[in-house]
Amino acid sequence: MIPTITAFERSPDGGMGLARDMRVRWALEETGQPYDVRLVSFTQMKEPEHLALHPFGQIPTYEEGDLVLFESGAIILHIAQHHAGLLPEEPNARARAIAWMFAALNTIEPPIVEREQVSYAERDKPWHAQRLPLMDERIRQRLGELSDRLGDAGWLDGSFSAGDLLMVLVLRRLEGSNLLEEYPNLAAYVARAEARPAYQRAYEAQRAVATDR
Ligand code: GTB
């Protein structure tokens, strides 16, 4: 059964691969799974048909037969558990790879997303000038710890895994902030992941949506 995912009809990033459908596309490419894409507008995302798939009216969603999933992390875990290529077979290594998935979403992503909010939504607030450097320091703390753990390894724990996939796309959200560049091994880690053929295919597929319009 070929799954159908949803993505922005018009992504605010103009095809930079920063929206979360990129995670799902990349996971499907890494595992060699064909997929269909249904594009949704911001209006459609809040209508009953889409809300039946996603309680918060967002993308991405994942439909496969009777199964409907939302939350990119849950979707990646589902794909990784059902197809080879994103989680090790050995049980302890598999558990550690899943821990890195949670680390990406629960430990690294929150301050990065909060910084985005401060940068855009709070730009004209009186506290903006003080808050942004505080957010940068919180992010540097986590990036420093992640950089120390990665060291000169290629991936976070042995072979490339779903943990790396999520971590790399979370780190990509720092583009334009110059923060990632302070940690050369993390910048190289992201570049290494971006060079993977599956990443390239996913990136081009989501970019085609923006350029076809
Ligand atoms: N926790 C959920 C998950 O991981 O799936 C979060 C899903 C989510 O935030 N979806 C966003 C969405 O649908 C798109 S990805 N937003 C519409 C809405 O909430 O009404 C977030 C995103 C959007 C745009 C950019 N960008 O332009 O750079 C980057 C990331």
Side-chain angles (χ1 to χ4, degrees):
M1 178 88 47
I2 295 183
T4 298
I5 69 169
T6 50
F8 281 132
E9 184 180 61
R10 282 179 206 281
S11 181
D13 72 354
M16 293 285 291
L18 296 172
R20 288 179 173 91
D21 61 296
M22 178 65 193
R23 301 170 176 188
V24 183
R25 291 174 185 272
W26 187 11
L28 289 164
E29 293 289 353
E30 287 286 349
T31 55
Q33 300 306 306
Y35 62 98
D36 292 325
V37 183
R38 189 171 60 254
L39 302 176
V40 287
S41 67
F42 278 92
T43 306
Q44 287 168 328
M45 279 192 281
K46 308 303 174 193
E47 288 174 348
E49 200 177 329
H50 188 75
L51 285 168
L53 308 177
H54 195 308
F56 310 117
Q58 297 182 312
I59 61 97
T61 58
Y62 178 98
E63 295 158 73
E64 185 184 26
D66 292 341
L67 176 68
V68 178
L69 284 177
F70 61 97
E71 282 299 333
S72 57
I75 297 169
I76 304 309
L77 185 58
H78 172 78
I79 295 167
Q81 282 177 324
H82 288 84
H83 304 286
L86 285 173
L87 286 176
E89 286 298 322
E90 197 278 314
N92 286 355
R94 197 177 182 91
R96 289 196 304 273
I98 293 171
W100 279 115
M101 294 177 68
F102 278 86
L105 301 181
N106 280 359
T107 302
I108 304 294
E109 186 167 44
I112 293 176
V113 170
E114 201 177 334
R115 184 187 189 278
E116 280 176 15
Q117 292 295 316
V118 174
S119 303
Y120 299 112
E122 299 178 13
R123 186 175 295 169
D124 51 2
K125 302 292 183 204
W127 59 79
H128 179 260
Q130 283 89 22
R131 197 152 134 73
L132 198 59
L134 290 175
M135 290 309 309
D136 285 353
E137 273 319 298
R138 278 181 54 196
I139 292 170
R140 283 194 183 96
Q141 169 81 25
R142 291 292 178 238
L143 294 185
E145 291 156 348
L146 186 65
S147 169
D148 289 346
R149 172 55 77 100
L150 180 67
D152 57 8
W155 307 114
L156 289 168
D157 192 322
S159 302
F160 177 84
S161 79
D164 294 297
L165 183 150
L166 286 173
M167 190 65 80
V168 163
L169 290 181
V170 164
L171 293 176
R172 275 207 59 215
R173 294 187 72 159
L174 287 169
E175 279 174 17
S177 72
N178 293 323
L179 286 167
L180 195 64
E181 290 73 7
E182 296 176 20
Y183 305 86
N185 67 335
L186 293 184
Y189 168 64
V190 171
R192 187 155 47 247
E194 288 174 333
R196 292 177 73 85
Y199 178 97
Q200 300 279 327
R201 289 194 296 273
Y203 185 86
E204 289 309 324
Q206 63 77 39
R207 186 162 174 73
V209 176
T211 53
D212 284 354
R213 269 147 215 286

